[in-house]
C-alpha cells in the first residue's frame, strides 16, 4: 500500500513501472519462442507503451493554470533531468543520429559534441536565471524583461517557426516507426503517431508531459542500450562497446576500398529518401572538414541553449538550486545515449560489410539478399531498395539503397537478434519521438495561448478559456505538422538542424544578453530577433537546393545557417541598444536580482 503524495512516492512508482516493463519484454520473448509472429510482437510493443503513456496523461489531467503550464513547479531535480533527457533525445537522437554517422561518418559527430556541449551553456547562462525569473514560457521572459508586446510577439514568431520545424521531424520519426511496426503507409503512420502524442499532452499540459516523459526515458534508454550491448558481445567487442569499438572502426577502414566505397550509383531508386553509402567512416582531412565540424557543433550548442521546449523544462523545478541540479542530471541521462550512438553506427556497418560475419550482405548473391526477411520488410514500406544494376548477380555497395533514418530501427534485424529486440527498439524510438513532440507542441500551444491570446489579445480571459484555447491549438498545430511531415521535404536530422539554427539565429543573444547585460533594451532585443532570424532564414533559402540552390559561403551549408544569423543578431542588438535610451532603473535592478541565486522569484505565481 502506497502512503503519502504522488511526489513522495515517485521512486516507488517508477521502480514498479520499470519492473513491469521488463516483465512485459520477457513475456514477449516467451511468446516469440512459442511461435508468435514478428508483426504481432511489434504491434504489442507499440500498443502497450502508447496505452501506458495515455493512461499517465489521463491521470495527470488538470484545470489549474500553474499545473498545466509548469507542472505546479514541484518536479524534483532527478526526475526533471530524466524528463528533460526524454524531451531532448528526440526522434533525431534515437532514430536518426546513428544513421547520420553511418552515412556521414566522422563529421556527424559534430551533432553529438554540439548537443551535449549545449548543456554547458544552458547551465551557465540560462536555466537557473530563467527559473529565478519565474516565467511560464520563453516569450514570457522576453516580454517581461524587455517590456512591450512587440518584443513578446517577435519571440513568439521565432519560437513557433523553430518548434514547428522540430515537431515535423518528430512526427516524421513516429510515422516511420508506425509504418514499419503496423505495416501501414508512412502517410498513415504520421497520423497514428500524432494520435499518441496528443493523448499524452492534451489533457494535462506540462504536468502530464513531465510524468509521461519520465516513463518514456526509461523505455528509450533500455531500448537503445540493449541491442548495442548484445551486438557488441556477439561480435567479440565485449559488453561495453563504448571503450572497445575502435577495432571495428579500423576493420571498416580496411574494408571500404575492397567494397569500392565512393563509387556512384549507376541507377537511381524509384522513390525518394533512400541513398547509398559514399562517405568514409573515419577520414578527417583537416582544413574545411575541421571548419565544418566546428561550425556544426557551434550551431547545435547555441541552438540547444535557445530552444524554448528545453528551457521551459527548468521552469518546473521547485527552486533555482533544483533547476541547476536538474541540468547536471539531464546531461548524465543524455550522455548515456549519445556515448552509445557512434558505437551503434560502427557495429551495424560492420555487420553489413564484413564478409567474415554471417550477417554481411555486400558481395553476397543478389537473390539471396533479396530474399532476406528484414530486406523484404523494409522494402515493402519503401525505406530500402536493391538494384542489380550491372547484372552480375552480386550485390555491390553502390546497389544498396537505404533510408538513413532506419539504421537504428533495422539494426536488430540486420544483426540477426530475436525479433523481441526489434519490437523493443521500435517502442524506444516511438517514446523518443513522442516525448519530444509532446514538449514541442506544448511549447507552441503555451506560447500562443499564454503570450499571444492571454497577454496580448484578451488579458481578461479566465482560466477555463485559456486552457481550452491551449488544447485546441495543440490539435490544430499537431495536424498541420503531420501534413508537413507526410510530404517528407527533408530527412529527420536535416529538419532538426534547421530548428536549432532558427532558434539560435533569433533567440540566443536576446536571451543571453537579457540576463547578463543590463544595458540591453527593448529596441535592441527586437532588432536582434528580427535581423538575426531574417538573415539566417534568407541564407537558408539562398543555399538550400530546394530554394535558390546557391553556392555556400565558406562551406556554410543549410545545416549551419545560424553561423550567418547569430552574428547579425548580436551586432544589431548591441548597436541598436547603444543608440537608444537605456532601460529604466527598475528594469536594471530586476536584471541584477535575476542573477542572485537565492530569494523569491521575480514574477508572482499568478502573473
Amino acid at each position: 500500500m502506497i502512503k503519502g503524495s504522488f511526489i513522495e512516492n515517485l521512486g516507488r512508482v517508477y521502480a514498479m513501472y520499470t519492473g513491469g516493463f521488463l516483465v512485459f519484454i520477457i513475456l514477449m520473448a516467451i511468446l516469440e519462442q512459442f511461435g508468435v509472429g514478428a508483426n504481432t510482437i511489434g504491434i504489442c510493443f507499440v500498443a502497450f507503451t502508447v496505452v501506458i503513456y495515455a493512461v499517465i496523461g489521463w491521470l495527470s489531467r488538470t484545470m489549474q493554470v500553474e499545473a498545466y503550464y509548469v507542472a505546479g513547479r514541484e518536479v524534483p531535480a532527478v526526475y526533471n533531468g530524466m524528463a528533460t533527457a526524454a524531451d531532448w533525445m528526440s526522434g533525431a537522437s534515437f532514430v536518426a543520429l546513428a544513421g547520420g554517422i553511418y552515412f556521414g561518418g566522422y563529421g556527424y559527430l559534430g551533432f553529438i559534441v554540439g548537443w551535449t556541449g549545449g548543456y554547458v551553456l544552458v547551465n551557465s547562462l540560462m536555466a537557473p536565471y530563467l527559473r529565478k525569473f519565474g516565467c511560464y514560457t520563453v516569450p514570457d521572459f522576453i516580454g517581461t524583461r524587455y517590456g512591450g508586446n512587440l518584443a513578446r510577439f517577435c519571440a513568439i514568431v521565432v519560437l513557433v517557426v523553430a518548434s514547428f520545424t522540430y515537431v515535423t521531424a518528430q512526427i516524421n520519426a513516429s510515422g516511420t516507426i508506425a509504418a514499419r511496426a503496423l505495416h501501414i503507409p508512412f502517410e498513415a503512420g504520421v497520423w497514428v503517431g500524432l494520435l499518441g502524442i496528443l493523448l499524452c499532452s492534451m489533457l494535462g499540459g506540462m504536468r502530464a508531459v513531465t510524468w509521461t516523459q519520465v516513463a518514456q526515458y526509461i523505455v528509450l534508454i533500455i531500448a537503445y542500450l540493449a541491442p548495442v550491448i548484445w551486438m557488441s558481445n556477439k561480435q567479440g567487442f565485449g559488453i561495453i562497446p563504448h571503450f572497445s569499438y575502435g577495432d571495428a572502426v579500423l576493420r571498416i577502414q580496411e574494408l571500404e576500398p575492397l567494397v569500392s566505397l565512393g563509387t556512384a550509383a549507376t541507377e537511381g531508386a524509384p522513390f525518394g529518401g533512400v541513398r547509398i553509402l559514399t562517405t568514409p567512416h573515419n577520414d578527417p582531412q583537416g582544413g574545411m572538414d575541421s571548419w565544418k565540424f566546428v561550425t556544426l557543433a557551434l550551431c547545435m550548442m547555441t541552438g540547444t541553449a535557445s530552444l524554448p521546449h528545453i528551457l521551459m523544462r527548468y521552469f518546473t523545478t521547485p527552486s533555482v538550486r533544483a533547476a541547476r541540479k536538474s541540468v547536471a542530471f539531464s546531461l548524465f541521462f543524455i550522455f548515456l545515449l549519445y556515448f552509445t550512438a557512434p558505437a551503434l553506427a560502427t557495429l551495424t556497418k560492420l555487420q553489413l560489410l564484413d564478409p567474415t560475419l554471417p550477417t554481411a550482405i555486400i558481395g553476397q548473391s543478389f537473390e539471396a539478399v533479396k530474399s532476406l526477411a528484414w530486406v523484404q520488410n523494409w522494402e515493402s514500406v519503401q525505406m530500402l531498395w536493391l538494384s542489380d544494376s550491372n547484372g552480375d548477380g552480386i550485390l555491390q555497395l553502390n546497389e544498396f539503397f537505404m533510408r538513413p533514418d532506419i539504421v537504428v530501427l533495422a539494426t536488430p534485424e540486420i544483426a540477426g537478434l530475436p525479433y523481441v529486440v526489434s519490437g523493443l527498439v521500435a517502442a524506444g524510438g516511438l517514446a523518443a519521438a513522442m516525448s519530444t513532440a509532446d514538449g514541442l507542441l506544448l511549447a507552441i500551444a503555451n506560447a500562443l495561448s499564454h503570450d499571444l491570446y492571454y497577454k496580448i489579445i484578451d488579458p481578461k480571459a479566465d482560466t477555463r478559456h485559456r486552457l481550452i484555447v491551449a488544447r485546441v491549438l495543440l490539435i490544430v498545430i499537431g495536424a498541420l505538422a503531420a501534413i508537413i511531415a507526410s510530404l517528407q521535404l527533408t530527412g529527420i536530422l536535416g529538419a532538426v538542424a534547421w530548428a536549432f539554427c532558427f532558434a539560435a539565429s533569433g533567440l540566443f543573444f536576446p536571451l543571453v544578453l537579457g540576463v547578463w547585460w543590463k544595458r540591453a533594451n527593448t529596441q535592441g532585443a527586437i532588432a536582434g530577433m528580427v535581423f538575426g532570424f531574417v538573415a539566417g532564414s534568407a541564407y537558408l533559402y539562398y543555399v538550400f537546393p530546394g530554394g535558390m540552390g546557391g553556392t555556400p559561403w565558406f562551406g556554410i551549408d543549410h545545416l549551419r545557417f545560424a553561423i550567418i544569423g547569430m552574428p547579425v543578431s548580436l551586432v544589431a542588438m548591441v548597436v541598436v541598444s547603444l543608440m537608444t535610451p537605456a532601460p529604466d532603473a527598475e528594469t536594471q535592478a530586476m536584471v541584477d536580482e535575476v542573477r542572485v541565486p537565492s530569494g523569491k522569484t521575480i514574477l508572482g505565481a499568478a502573473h
Side-chain angles (χ1 to χ4, degrees), residues 74-95:
E74 60 178 6
V75 183
V78 63
Y79 293 97
N80 197 48
M82 294 174 78
T84 306
D87 206 351
W88 182 244
M89 290 189 297
S90 61
S93 297
F94 191 102
V95 177

Side-chain angles (χ1 to χ4, degrees), residues 185-543:
F186 171 79
E187 291 75 12
V190 298
W191 292 100
V192 173
L194 175 63
L195 178 63
I197 292 162
L198 292 177
L199 285 173
C200 297
S201 56
M202 195 169 70
L203 295 177
M206 180 59 91
R207 186 164 75 177
V209 166
T210 297
W211 303 128
T212 306
Q213 285 174 335
V214 174
Q216 288 165 334
Y217 177 79
I218 293 168
V219 171
L220 75 87
I221 200 64
I222 292 173
Y224 205 85
L225 294 177
V228 183
I229 291 172
W230 194 327
M231 189 165 54
S232 172
N233 197 42
K234 215 175 160 185
Q235 292 184 14
F237 295 105
I239 60 170
I240 306 179
H242 310 71
F243 302 107
S244 59
Y245 75 95
D247 290 341
V249 175
L250 295 176
R251 177 62 178 155
I252 289 173
Q253 288 177 304
E254 290 175 11
L255 292 170
E256 284 174 343
L258 302 178
V259 295
S260 303
L261 178 78
T263 305
T266 55
E267 188 178 357
F271 45 84
V274 295
R275 52 188 282 203
I276 62 166
L277 179 64
T278 57
T279 306
H281 196 67
N282 180 34
D283 188 28
Q285 299 293 320
M288 184 56 77
D289 277 4
S290 300
W291 165 249
K292 285 189 168 184
F293 187 96
V294 170
T295 52
L296 181 63
L298 180 62
C299 289
M300 296 305 105
M301 284 181 71
T302 51
T304 301
S306 313
L307 275 171
H309 78 290
I310 292 299
L311 296 177
M312 65 190 282
R313 280 242 48 92
Y314 299 103
F315 303 161
T316 66
T317 57
S319 64
V320 175
R321 179 182 172 82
R324 195 183 290 276
K325 286 172 66 178
S326 75
V327 177
F329 281 118
S330 306
L331 193 54
F332 170 73
F333 291 127
I334 290 167
F335 165 82
L336 291 178
L337 187 144
Y338 283 173
F339 198 41
T340 307
L344 191 154
T346 302
L347 296 178
T348 301
K349 188 179 289 186
L350 197 61
Q351 293 277 3
L352 295 173
L353 301 185
D354 192 341
T356 65
L357 296 175
T359 55
I361 60 169
I362 305 302
Q364 305 298 315
S365 160
F366 184 85
E367 291 304 322
V369 175
K370 189 86 174 170
S371 65
L372 292 172
W374 71 268
V375 171
Q376 292 179 349
N377 287 335
W378 287 105
E379 264 192 324
S380 68
V381 288
Q382 296 192 340
M383 295 183 188
L384 185 145
W385 190 65
L386 308 182
S387 165
D388 188 14
S389 53
N390 62 2
D392 66 352
I394 301 296
L395 180 66
Q396 314 293 335
L397 188 60
N398 66 346
E399 297 171 339
F400 178 62
F401 294 76
M402 184 163 63
R403 183 173 166 176
D405 300 335
I406 70 166
V407 169
V408 171
L409 300 173
T411 285
E413 295 169 283
I414 293 172
L417 305 183
Y419 191 80
V420 68
V421 182
S422 296
L424 175 62
V425 171
L430 198 59
M434 289 176 63
S435 60
T436 304
D438 287 342
L440 288 163
L441 285 176
L442 203 61
I444 299 171
N446 286 359
L448 293 176
S449 64
H450 178 76
D451 294 289
L452 185 61
Y453 176 71
Y454 177 58
K455 289 290 186 180
I456 297 178
I457 296 175
D458 185 8
K460 295 180 180 177
D462 59 25
T463 299
R464 182 171 173 273
H465 278 95
R466 290 166 62 188
L467 296 187
I468 289 174
V469 168
R471 284 163 177 155
V472 170
L473 286 168
L474 266 178
I475 297 173
V476 172
I477 296 163
L480 285 174
I483 292 171
I484 299 295
S486 65
L487 300 177
Q488 300 190 68
L489 298 177
T490 182
I492 295 171
L493 213 51
V496 169
W498 289 5
F500 279 67
C501 287
F502 280 130
S505 296
L507 288 176
F508 182 71
F509 284 112
L511 285 171
V512 171
L513 297 183
V515 173
W516 295 100
W517 191 36
K518 290 191 294 186
R519 184 64 178 77
N521 63 13
T522 310
Q523 297 89 336
I526 293 170
M529 286 186 279
V530 172
F531 282 98
F533 182 73
V534 170
S537 302
Y539 185 77
L540 170 63
Y541 181 72
Y542 163 72
V543 79

Side-chain angles (χ1 to χ4, degrees), residues 36-52:
V36 174
N39 291 341
T40 305
I41 291 175
I43 292 170
C44 286
F45 262 104
V46 171
F48 176 78
T49 51
V50 170
V51 167
I52 292 290

